[in-house]
Structure formats: structure tokens, C-alpha cells
Amino acid sequence: MTKELELLQSIATRRKTVRRFTTEKPPLELVYKALDTACQAPSGSNTQPWRFMIVEDPVVKSRIREAAETGEKVFYETISAERKKKYNAMGHTWKKPMLEKAPILLVVAADATAPNFRPSVWLAVGYLVLALEAVGLGSVTYTPSEAELVRKALGIPDEYTLETILPLGYPADPKDKAPRKPAKELTRVNYWGVPGS
Amino acid sequence: MTKELELLQSIATRRKTVRRFTTEKPPLELVYKALDTACQAPSGSNTQPWRFMIVEDPVVKSRIREAAETGEKVFYETISAERKKKYNAMGHTWKKPMLEKAPILLVVAADATAPNFRPSVWLAVGYLVLALEAVGLGSVTYTPSEAELVRKALGIPDEYTLETILPLGYPADPKDKAPRKPAKELTRVNYWGVPGS
């Protein structure tokens, strides 16, 4: 195994979703460093359709939380009792306190006029969460159930979509990393048959 | 800058899209190592909706190329003359010889029954292309204009979507990396106003 792959695998393997943070505010320079890595991602016709908004202002964070929770309440009313139970077991409800409690919210928007803008932006989010881990910042990709409500609350113009919000900070989340299936179990060779065939 | 971030930035910065490959066939073990890194990505409700198909068989590669080009021909007939000119200037036409010439095709499918399956899979593709670079493999995320045609040609069941195909191999592409905008130009702080404000 190359040294580079070893290090990359180590970052990817230890990185887990973090929803609880210490109150210490990380320097914005760390966020910009991670974003510079993300901006190296490929994109359809090199349109680089990612746009970012760093939110530290408590007033703006409250506005985001309010818009997000309005959408989550609607979503939780529409889902089946079974699904709601599953989400509750994972600790998920319509309440999103992390949107106020995280020291930084990183809003990721996409230029919806670019070809394949959604795949491009999410590929870059893959770069981003690895880079955030490398600088010691915990994150979670929270996608509001009604992203349009949040986009409008933030005054982001119509030609953009709000793709996700990453609450950021130093990790204070006691939860372990959720287990992952090894690649071979999810891979076929030449034909869609038995996994690992 | 931490040593980890330095290394990650170096992989991300030098990684460029590769569409031409040497004829040397890379060991499959390298592909599995990169996939194992990709499988560490987060996903909605930890559903891990990514599925992979490694194609080396020339017969299957031809079938993929044929289905993909059938879709591309339709696509290139529908786009504006201006857009077609732009694509031609980038060297893009309906012809996709890389789908036969690359030593390996890595097909990425998604379990479309999972919540937020597309964002989750593309985030993992971000992990994947970095890991491929780390093991020395060139790649391009080629998304067929009519992905359904290719999915059906491969016998991938209806409950999956075909998200992208990555031709893989050792790079033989003389093109430079396309330039990227720095993150600060694409980032707002607290309010959607002047970039870098």
C-alpha cells in the first residue's frame, strides 16, 4: 500500500459524523483550507458550480434553524410510523439544535444552471469532509427536508439550490462510527450477479 | 498546516481528469483498495447505497460503449449549436472510445430506495477519485446522457440507478489540469452578498 493511500484511508476510516461540538470556535482559516481542497474537485465541463456560505452570526443561525425545523415538522408528519420509529431510534427528530449550537454552519449551494450540478457539488463535498477531518474539524452533512425554505430564508437567489448544511466544530460526540460494509460485498465483476463474483 | 491536510491537498491538487490510458492493465487489488476508502463515506441513515461493477471483459465494455453512444447521439442532436460548439472545443463529441480503450470500467450504481441516495453516492465518488489518484490510477467520472440505456444493457435491476462510469487505468493524457477558482472567491460570510465579504 502506498504511503498516500494509507494516510487517505486512515482519514476516511476514522472520520465519523459529528453532531455535537465543543463551544470553542475554530479559526475560519481552517475552514478555508478545507474549502480550497474541495474546490480542486472535478465538475461537469469544469463549471465548478459549488458556492459556500460560512455562518457564524447567531441571528443567522437561528434563522436557519427556524426554517429547517419548519420543514422537518412537515416531513415528520408525512412519513410512516415505522420510519419515524427508525429515525427516533437513531436519535433523529424534527428538532435540529446543532444548527444553533455548532460554532460554525457551512452552507453549500449549487449553481443550478450548470450541467450535472448536483453530482459535481456532492463529489466536492466528499473532498470537503475528508479535508475537514484532516484539519481536526467534526462535521455532518445535514440536508434539510425542505431545502427551499432555508435557501429563501438566507436570501440565496433562485438560480441556486441549497444542497446541504454542515455544522462544524471540534467534536464532542460520544457516538461511535457507524459500521461500514467492505467494498467486495458491494461489488460485481463483469456481470451483475453474485456480489464479489 | 497539518501534515495530513498537506498530503490530502497535494493529492486533490494534482489529481486531474484522465480520459486516455496506457494499455497496461492495473491489478484489481488497487481498485478494491480505492473502493474500500470510498465505502467509508457517510450516507443518509447509513444506508451505504453505493454499488460497484468492475468491467474488464471487452464484450461487456463494447456493450456499454454502444448503449452510451446511442444516448449521446440523441443528446447531441437536442443541444443548441452554441453548446455543441463549446463541447467540441473541449474535445467532447458523442463518441466515447475510452469506454472500450480503458483497461477497466468502474460502474457506479445507487440503490434508489435509500433516502438521499444520489448525494450519498456522489459524496463517496469524491472519496473514490482521491483514492484512485493515491494508488496511481487515472480516472474520469463519465455520466451517460441516457444512463438508463446503459443500466438496462448491463442488466442492472430497476431499483438501482446508474450514476456514473469511471474508465480507469494508468494515465496517458497529455492535457493539463483545468484551472480552479480559489475557495474565497466562491464563499460568502453570514450574508449572501459580495464574495469573500
Side-chain angles (χ1 to χ4, degrees):
Chain A
M1 185 149 66
T2 69
K3 190 154 181 60
E4 279 191 351
L5 181 69
E6 202 171 334
L7 202 126
L8 188 61
Q9 274 196 350
S10 140
I11 299 171
T13 303
R14 88 172 176 250
R15 193 258 169 205
K16 62 169 190 167
T17 293
V18 172
R19 290 185 178 80
R20 292 169 68 183
F21 308 91
T22 71
T23 53
E24 189 186 346
K25 200 180 143 283
L28 278 199
E29 208 43 50
L30 290 186
V31 181
Y32 279 122
K33 278 186 198 303
L35 287 175
D36 270 327
T37 299
C39 287
Q40 290 297 322
S43 56
S45 305
N46 193 32
T47 45
Q48 304 170 54
W50 36 77
R51 299 292 182 275
F52 307 104
M53 198 168 159
I54 296 170
V55 177
E56 305 177 287
D57 185 331
V59 175
V60 183
K61 286 199 276 184
S62 296
R63 201 182 299 157
I64 291 174
R65 180 178 179 180
E66 199 187 322
E69 288 186 340
T70 301
E72 296 303 341
K73 275 182 212 164
V74 173
F75 172 73
Y76 275 83
E77 275 162 22
T78 61
I79 60 176
S80 66
E82 189 195 7
R83 198 161 164 203
K84 196 187 280 183
K85 205 172 156 184
K86 192 184 153 199
Y87 284 158
N88 285 345
M90 297 175 90
H92 300 169
T93 72
W94 63 265
K95 291 181 193 167
K96 302 295 170 194
M98 64 183 179
L99 297 176
E100 275 186 311
K101 288 188 177 168
I104 297 173
L105 300 182
L106 176 57
V107 178
V108 180
D111 174 354
T113 67
N116 283 325
F117 65 89
R118 180 153 294 144
S120 298
V121 167
W122 280 93
L123 192 157
V125 172
Y127 278 46
L128 177 63
V129 297
L130 289 170
L132 289 166
E133 177 67 32
V135 298
L137 293 180
S139 67
V140 47
T141 52
Y142 163 66
T143 304
S145 295
E146 300 283 348
E148 280 290 278
L149 285 182
V150 185
R151 180 184 68 76
K152 284 174 188 164
L154 287 171
I156 298 177
D158 284 353
E159 64 265 36
Y160 297 93
T161 57
L162 187 147
E163 292 294 320
T164 188
I165 300 170
L166 292 99
L168 302 182
Y170 295 108
D173 201 328
K175 283 208 287 187
D176 289 336
K177 176 164 178 155
R180 300 290 194 270
K181 290 181 201 112
K184 279 204 176 171
E185 283 182 21
L186 304 170
T187 305
R188 275 86 167 168
V189 179
N190 287 317
Y191 300 95
W192 193 271
V194 183
S197 65
Chain B
M1 184 149 65
T2 69
K3 186 150 184 62
E4 279 191 351
L5 180 69
E6 203 171 332
L7 201 127
L8 188 61
Q9 275 197 350
S10 140
I11 299 170
T13 303
R14 86 172 177 250
R15 194 260 169 204
K16 61 168 190 166
T17 292
V18 172
R19 289 185 180 82
R20 292 169 68 182
F21 308 91
T22 71
T23 53
E24 189 186 348
K25 199 179 142 281
L28 278 199
E29 210 40 54
L30 290 186
V31 181
Y32 280 121
K33 279 186 196 305
L35 287 175
D36 270 327
T37 300
C39 288
Q40 291 296 322
S43 56
S45 304
N46 194 32
T47 45
Q48 306 171 52
W50 36 76
R51 298 292 182 275
F52 307 104
M53 197 169 161
I54 295 171
V55 178
E56 304 177 287
D57 185 331
V59 175
V60 184
K61 285 199 277 183
S62 294
R63 202 181 299 155
I64 291 174
R65 180 179 179 180
E66 200 187 322
E69 289 187 341
T70 301
E72 297 302 342
K73 276 181 210 163
V74 174
F75 173 72
Y76 275 84
E77 274 163 22
T78 61
I79 60 176
S80 66
E82 190 195 8
R83 199 161 163 203
K84 196 185 283 184
K85 204 171 155 185
K86 192 184 151 197
Y87 284 159
N88 286 343
M90 296 175 92
H92 300 169
T93 72
W94 62 265
K95 292 181 192 166
K96 303 296 171 192
M98 64 184 180
L99 296 177
E100 276 186 311
K101 288 189 177 168
I104 298 172
L105 300 181
L106 176 58
V107 179
V108 180
D111 175 353
T113 66
N116 282 327
F117 65 90
R118 180 152 295 145
S120 298
V121 168
W122 280 92
L123 192 156
V125 172
Y127 278 46
L128 177 62
V129 297
L130 289 170
L132 289 167
E133 177 68 32
V135 297
L137 293 180
S139 68
V140 46
T141 53
Y142 163 65
T143 304
S145 295
E146 300 283 349
E148 279 292 276
L149 285 182
V150 186
R151 180 184 67 74
K152 284 173 189 164
L154 287 172
I156 300 176
D158 285 355
E159 64 264 37
Y160 298 93
T161 57
L162 187 147
E163 292 294 321
T164 188
I165 300 170
L166 293 98
L168 302 182
Y170 295 110
D173 201 327
K175 283 209 287 185
D176 289 336
K177 176 163 178 153
R180 301 290 195 269
K181 290 181 200 113
K184 280 205 175 170
E185 284 181 20
L186 303 169
T187 305
R188 274 86 167 169
V189 179
N190 287 316
Y191 300 95
W192 193 271
V194 183
S197 68

